């Protein structure tokens, strides 16, 4: 099943037409709002690609906690 997702506003202009594999292999600054300075800071945490950022256990845990906060009683 083919899936189409519009990520243009979430990506830096230079990655708007990139494939998913290209975006995942790109530095975090491929995401709109992040810069090369962020790349340097994140590299200090071992995060060198968008894939690394998305699969980082600390960022994933924080994302789940935020999602749960909206559902908690």
């Amino acid at each position: 099943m083919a899936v189409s997702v519009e990520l243009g506003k979430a990506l830096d202009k230079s990655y708007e037409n990139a494939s998913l594999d290209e975006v995942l292999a790109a530095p975090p600054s491929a995401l709109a709002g992040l810069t090369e300075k962020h790349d340097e800071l994140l590299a200090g945490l071992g995060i060198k690609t968008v894939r690394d950022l998305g699969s980082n256990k600390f960022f994933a845990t924080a994302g789940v906690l935020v999602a749960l906060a909206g559902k908690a009683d």
Side-chain angles (χ1 to χ4, degrees):
M1 169 176 39
V3 177
S4 177
V5 178
E6 174 57 45
L7 295 174
K9 295 192 186 302
L11 300 174
D12 183 80
K13 289 231 182 262
S14 61
Y15 288 92
E16 286 181 349
N17 294 311
S19 70
L20 178 59
D21 286 337
E22 291 170 327
V23 172
L24 291 174
S29 59
L31 301 175
L34 295 182
T35 67
E36 290 180 3
K37 181 64 176 173
H38 294 109
D39 292 342
E40 294 171 18
L41 294 169
L42 289 166
L45 298 172
I47 298 169
K48 297 179 182 171
T49 66
V50 172
R51 182 183 308 276
D52 294 340
L53 182 63
S55 60
N56 179 279
K57 68 180 181 179
F58 301 110
F59 288 100
T61 300
V64 169
L65 293 170
V66 169
L68 287 173
K71 309 287 187 240
D73 292 334

